[in-house]
Amino acid sequence: MICLGLGSNLGDREGNIAAAVARLAAWPGVSVEKVSSLYETAPVGYTDQPDFLNAVIAVVTTLGPRELLTACLAVERGLGRERSVRWGPRTVDIDVLFYDDVVLDSDELTLPHPRFHERCFVLVPLAEIAGDAPVFAGKTAAELAAACCGDGAVRLYGKLGRGG
Ligand code: X6L
Ligand code: MG
Ligand code: MG
């Protein structure tokens, strides 16, 4: 399984995520197989910024991990992503969470994503689409979410394309 995490907390958050999914689906060699619901989430890391909408998608692709990252970064840029403040607000962020069982640690890309397994804004939507697949340390996303996602920091917002 290959999963991407999406987030937006600037402008038309839902429109930004919808556009990112559409552009990824239109990218040569990328097929979007599953799309989670949108979740409204409290900002983590740098907390003085608007709430996010987050989602996770599963893709099938002929692209390798680095090519997939290149596609994600190009879609981010195409939707106006600016990188000024580290961990700051963004129109859209697209992270490669994991790419099958690939383990990689380079300057550009670390797989699996080094902290996805402890981020509720990733685990909760991932649990929706990843079913019984072990995603980290042999555990399912639901198991990981149950261990750390107790408070109301991740709230169901709605499905893409259904008016939020
Ligand atoms: C200590 C230090 C504890 C840093 C946590 C956590 C840093 C997450 C960065 C951290 C730390 C991040 C999103 C977000 C960001 C998002 C929500 C990041 C990168 N992206 N909050 N914060 N959704 N809810 O997509 O994930 S910045
Ligand atoms: Mg991110
Ligand atoms: Mg990112």
Side-chain angles (χ1 to χ4, degrees), residues 5-7 52 54 76 81 90 93-95 97 113 119 121-122:
L6 295 97
F52 282 78
N54 283 107
E76 286 183 351
R81 170 88 186 258
R90 61 282 304 271
D93 175 48
I94 310 171
D95 295 328
L97 301 176
H113 188 289
R119 290 181 184 171
F121 64 79
V122 172

